[in-house]
Amino acid sequence: MRFQTIDFTIEQSVATLCLNRPEALNSFTATMHAEVREALQRLREAVGDGRSTPAIRCLLLTGRGRGFCAGQDLKDPAVAPAADGTMPDIADTIEQNYNPLIRALMELPVPVICAVNGVAAGAGVSIALACDLVLAARSASFIQAFCHIGLLPDSGGTWNLPRAVGMARAKGLAMLGEKLSAEQAEQWGLIWRCVDDDALMTEAERLARHLASQPTLALARIKQALNQSMHNDLHSQLALERDYMSELSRSHDYREGVEAFTAKRKPVFKGC
Ligand code: T3D
């Protein structure tokens, strides 16, 4: 599939979406938003409804060049001040572009791996935090750059950040906008793992292939249940676990998992 600002490929049930504007640290323009939206829409259709083996069983998101994503392209005419000095209302781009992107990633019923290959800043951090497993190159960093330009962490930043690292660290990061190294991000629980730079893509692709061979429907329900636990009370969460378990207990992969365990062989999951 040919796009101008992203590369989108599918191989062995793994879709890879690579942000490809390295000269601007993969910051988002209106075109990039439209292309990412289209790729995610195609992906969502390929995942299906969980009743049969999905054509795609994992998404890997990364960036080209020395940056992962520097958030909004601050030079994009769509968000720049007009010639007469009037400022655009950025609620429009947030509502039309960033919010649907965050929902699409967090609601996608397959695991989303983010390989943070370099600096992530502004909405670039929020996008990484909307993914399920974040790997980062040791030289990568995370910057809540919003406060440097008079904004606040959007794209779910104020929701995901305190849940990941706690309120004290979230406020420090968001109000100071200091660079957080990948190693510190791992120690603080912001990301799953920090790996050596030259091992990042090998490790991310290995993880993606592994997840794509696992019981996809169960992974989808794990993702949904953990995300919903952030705002459910215990009673609602217990009911939700019961309902998801009821559905999963009727899946092919549950039967296969138990049969393989009993027969002491490796399970072959179909993802449904
Ligand atoms: O519409 C709205 O605003 C609403 C949405 C908001 C969501 C947001 O994401 S707001 C936050 C926007 N992002 C930022 O404020 C980050 C801006 N970038 C930086 O602070 C720095 O570039 C970094 C800390 C990320 C990296 O610094 P460094 O020194 O490694 O690289 P650099 O030299 O600053 O950047 C390299 C090039 O990328 C440079 O281009 P040039 O001068 O070589 O032609 C730079 O202008 C460009 N670049 C980096 N970030 C952006 C960008 N160009 C446009 N927009 C960017 N966000």
Side-chain angles (χ1 to χ4, degrees):
M1 293 164 214
R2 304 292 299 173
F3 292 105
Q4 284 175 47
T5 63
I6 62 170
D7 291 330
F8 185 62
T9 52
I10 298 170
E11 205 177 312
Q12 293 176 1
S13 308
V14 174
T16 301
L17 197 167
C18 182
L19 305 176
N20 191 11
R21 296 185 66 240
E23 68 286 355
L25 301 182
N26 301 318
S27 51
F28 267 80
T29 56
T31 303
M32 189 190 261
H33 272 297
E35 294 189 345
V36 169
R37 201 160 38 242
E38 188 182 334
L40 290 179
Q41 178 59 33
R42 290 187 199 176
L43 178 56
R44 185 65 193 82
E45 285 160 14
V47 168
D49 60 5
R51 289 194 200 139
S52 54
T53 301
I56 295 173
R57 296 168 68 179
C58 184
L59 169 65
L60 172 55
L61 175 65
T62 190
R64 181 90 56 225
R66 75 175 178 88
F68 166 64
C69 174
Q72 171 64 38
D73 185 320
L74 298 173
K75 301 168 192 165
D76 188 353
V79 299
D84 65 3
T86 52
M87 298 298 288
D89 185 347
I90 57 180
D92 294 339
T93 180
I94 288 172
E95 196 51 38
Q96 287 158 23
N97 295 323
Y98 288 98
N99 289 355
L101 168 60
I102 297 305
R103 285 192 205 102
L105 291 171
M106 293 187 70
E107 291 169 8
L108 198 66
V110 294
V112 182
I113 297 174
C114 185
V116 180
N117 51 297
V119 63
V125 183
S126 304
I127 290 166
L129 296 186
C131 299
D132 300 311
L133 293 181
V134 184
L135 296 179
R138 205 165 298 283
S139 67
S141 55
F142 298 82
I143 308 175
Q144 294 290 340
F146 305 91
C147 61
H148 299 312
I149 55 168
L151 295 178
L152 88 160
D154 66 356
S155 306
T158 60
W159 203 84
N160 280 319
L161 189 63
R163 284 170 169 80
V165 297
M167 193 57 85
R169 284 171 171 163
K171 284 184 177 166
L173 290 169
M175 290 185 174
L176 298 173
E178 291 175 1
K179 183 186 284 193
L180 185 73
S181 71
E183 285 180 359
Q184 190 79 71
E186 180 189 307
Q187 284 162 22
W188 282 11
L190 189 74
I191 63 170
W192 168 241
R193 199 157 283 168
C194 162
V195 298
D196 289 341
D197 286 21
D198 56 8
L200 177 71
M201 288 317 293
T202 316
E203 178 57 14
E205 285 161 5
R206 186 197 65 76
L207 205 54
R209 281 194 303 275
H210 168 73
L211 287 170
S213 71
Q214 294 303 295
T216 308
L217 186 61
L219 298 186
R221 297 298 175 259
I222 290 170
K223 171 174 178 164
Q224 287 168 324
L226 289 174
N227 284 344
Q228 285 167 280
S229 77
M230 295 295 176
H231 45 83
N232 272 350
D233 62 26
L234 175 64
H235 299 290
S236 316
Q237 195 66 16
L238 289 172
L240 179 143
E241 290 173 359
R242 178 202 59 215
D243 293 346
Y244 284 174
M245 288 295 258
S246 166
E247 178 194 19
L248 293 173
S249 65
R250 285 175 274 118
S251 69
H252 164 276
D253 285 346
Y254 173 60
R255 196 171 58 239
E256 169 63 8
V258 174
E259 282 177 10
F261 174 79
T262 312
K264 297 186 186 296
R265 64 170 172 80
K266 204 165 172 280
V268 181
F269 294 119
K270 286 180 15 183
C272 55

